[in-house]
Amino acid sequence: MKRSIEQSAAAGNGAAVFSGPPRRLVILGATGSIGRSCADVILNAPGRFEIEALVGGRDGASLAKTAIALRARFAAVADPTAYGELKAGVAGHGVEVGAGPEAVTEAALREADLVVAAIAGTVGLAPTYAAIAAGRTVALANKEPLVCAGAAVTSAARASGAKLLPLDSEHNAIFQALGGRNAADAVRMTLTASGGPFRDWSLERINAATKAEALAHPNWSMGPKITIDSATLMNKGLELIEAHHLFSVPPERLDVVVHPQSVVHGLVSFADGSVIAGLAMPDMKTPIAHCLAYPDRIASGASALDLAAVGQLTFQRPDLDRFPALRLAMAALRDGGGAPTALNGANEVAVAAFLADRIGFRDIAPLVETVIMQLARADELATPTSVEDALAIHHSARDRAEALLAKN
Ligand code: NDP
Ligand code: MG
């Protein structure tokens, strides 16, 4: 079975060749960590890109600044209460503005050569899915939509012919390591994990971790949700599920290795014993530039990798006892059906509760586990084949997680 991702790998013969007119972009999540890095890459490549539309959540002032800096045609905020700030911020600059879910969808569907999906969380599913269903090439940073509704998203891409470019660093490295070969040729795909701030901590110390400690990632500067997911290692679990859908590989051929230096991002092993790895400095500007210019190459602004300066690249197995969230995600991937969707929904509530000081770090994984068990007992974990089915499980998981929190 051919996947859109493999077709995109062979797109050297297609319309995606970067030359001539500027490439028109839409950026969903323009005010976030990935969105800001996209702006850096774009400003570093004058004349190569035109910004058709930018989308933010509720920070109208910062979206306005980005829209002016990137000369965007249209800027939309999801939260209608941010409209005034956005409108005032772009006054006199000829930027069209909008607010609310319809404006976000309008932005996602504007004529563009590439849509960057970089909203945080499953709220990114609707506009990302709209762009994919409309046949746009989509660079996917936002992993939660794939974890929530992977079957629906990838089948929409096949139906519309949309190309999906993996922007998440591990998946981007694997995509590059595949080099256009069919993903079915790989006997194993390995994602690396930095191990997060608690990599070498004892279980007792991890259990007592504070919010400030969990937010202090050693290698990457990212938005709060993914930073907490990196501390629990849930992020790596979500990424396994993401890889399963993106590359259509079965769970038993996916693997995680802890690699504290975050220089090797992903590896592909072939039947003859060859292993091709993707290396780069830990800077999202590299996979962003790869996706924005694909299949061309442009300067990203990231520092060059100097292996002698790095000195050592080390690897270790993940410890599933100290990081139970990764164990839960691996089990959800193996179990399939609605389990990944439930895991993702419950995890969003658990992480938000931790960030709001409602629960401790040690409570995140048990909350997710209890929700999945409840949904399994209620027979609510059938495989979601449509976005609607996936969102039904997602909201049920969220509601159950909220109900459990309310009991505490
Ligand atoms: P941030 O929290 O930094 O940014 C989130 C972005 O989403 C902001 O632009 C925010 O707008 C916007 N947003 C929030 N809610 C909505 C909404 N309802 N509708 C529209 N936009 C909304 O997140 P990151 O940039 O760190 O991560 C984005 C995605 O990319 C995540 O799925 C993450 O897992 C993935 N990713 C991130 C990496 C990183 O290095 N940061 C690496 C790999 C993947 P506003 O600020 O205005 O509210
Ligand atoms: Mg990643």
Side-chain angles (χ1 to χ4, degrees):
M1 185 176 53
K2 265 280 194 208
R3 305 299 295 233
S4 53
I5 197 81
E6 293 149 17
Q7 287 156 0
S8 69
N13 54 12
V17 175
F18 185 77
S19 62
R23 181 165 288 179
R24 284 169 308 168
L25 306 178
V26 168
I27 304 175
L28 309 175
T31 49
S33 165
I34 293 288
R36 289 192 301 275
S37 293
C38 285
D40 290 345
V41 172
I42 290 162
L43 292 170
N44 202 32
R48 288 207 166 229
F49 301 104
E50 270 177 16
I51 309 305
E52 187 58 41
L54 298 177
V55 166
R58 55 175 55 161
D59 187 347
S62 125
L63 186 64
K65 283 195 192 116
T66 310
I68 293 167
L70 298 182
R71 298 165 178 266
R73 293 201 179 93
F74 180 53
V77 271
D79 182 348
T81 64
Y83 179 73
E85 219 179 36
L86 171 62
K87 196 169 162 56
V90 297
H93 288 272
V95 183
E96 282 176 70
V97 290
E102 294 80 20
V104 169
T105 308
E106 182 194 334
L109 290 176
R110 286 255 173 151
E111 262 325 307
D113 301 307
L114 179 73
V115 177
V116 179
I119 292 173
T122 309
V123 288
L125 175 58
T128 302
Y129 186 81
I132 291 171
R136 298 287 187 276
T137 299
V138 175
L140 271 176
N142 186 195
K143 63 197 82 182
E144 291 89 348
L146 265 186
V147 178
C148 173
V153 169
T154 52
S155 79
R158 279 194 299 278
S160 70
K163 294 172 182 127
L164 302 181
L165 296 174
L167 199 155
D168 206 349
S169 54
E170 300 76 6
H171 308 72
N172 186 271
I174 287 173
F175 178 58
Q176 296 201 47
L178 277 170
R181 276 176 298 265
N182 194 318
D185 292 345
V187 293
R188 182 161 294 278
M189 289 181 184
T190 305
L191 314 182
T192 65
S194 69
F198 308 145
R199 187 187 66 238
D200 299 321
W201 288 27
S202 68
L203 181 59
E204 292 67 36
R205 202 172 158 210
I206 293 174
N207 279 340
T210 65
K211 188 163 78 176
E213 288 167 336
L215 283 170
H217 197 282
N219 300 1
W220 300 95
S221 162
M222 310 178 285
K225 198 270 181 174
I226 183 174
T227 303
I228 300 306
D229 284 345
S230 299
T232 58
L233 292 201
M234 180 62 91
N235 182 52
K236 214 46 57 179
L238 300 179
E239 290 184 353
L240 286 170
I241 300 165
E242 180 186 11
H244 166 66
H245 290 295
L246 273 175
F247 301 113
S248 195
V249 275
E252 62 277 12
R253 284 204 269 134
L254 288 166
D255 199 12
V256 171
V257 66
V258 174
H259 167 48
Q261 297 80 16
S262 297
V263 165
V264 180
H265 300 287
L267 307 95
V268 181
S269 309
F270 294 95
D272 58 10
S274 302
V275 180
I276 303 187
L279 281 72
M281 290 295 281
D283 185 332
M284 288 307 295
K285 290 200 289 294
T286 293
I288 287 170
H290 177 257
C291 288
L292 294 191
Y294 182 82
D296 263 12
R297 296 281 181 174
I298 57 170
S300 66
S303 326
L305 173 60
D306 177 346
L307 281 175
V310 175
Q312 282 196 321
L313 300 180
T314 58
F315 302 91
Q316 62 200 68
R317 289 194 201 291
D319 181 340
L320 302 185
D321 293 327
R322 286 186 303 128
F323 297 99
L326 178 57
R327 178 175 46 74
L328 289 177
M330 286 170 151
L333 171 63
R334 267 194 315 273
D335 292 348
T341 310
L343 170 100
N344 174 63
N347 181 57
E348 285 191 353
V349 172
V351 171
F354 174 67
L355 286 169
D357 301 313
R358 292 173 70 195
I359 59 173
F361 192 80
R362 67 185 306 158
D363 303 320
I364 295 174
L367 182 62
V368 173
E369 184 166 28
T370 306
V371 169
I372 296 174
M373 280 180 347
Q374 283 187 358
L375 284 167
R377 272 201 297 273
D379 212 7
E380 283 188 50
L381 293 182
T383 305
T385 51
S386 66
V387 167
E388 292 69 31
D389 287 354
L391 287 177
I393 297 173
H394 175 74
H395 289 300
S396 179
R398 288 189 60 101
D399 291 348
R400 285 173 187 270
E402 289 290 1
L404 286 163
L405 285 172
K407 274 197 209 153
N408 288 330

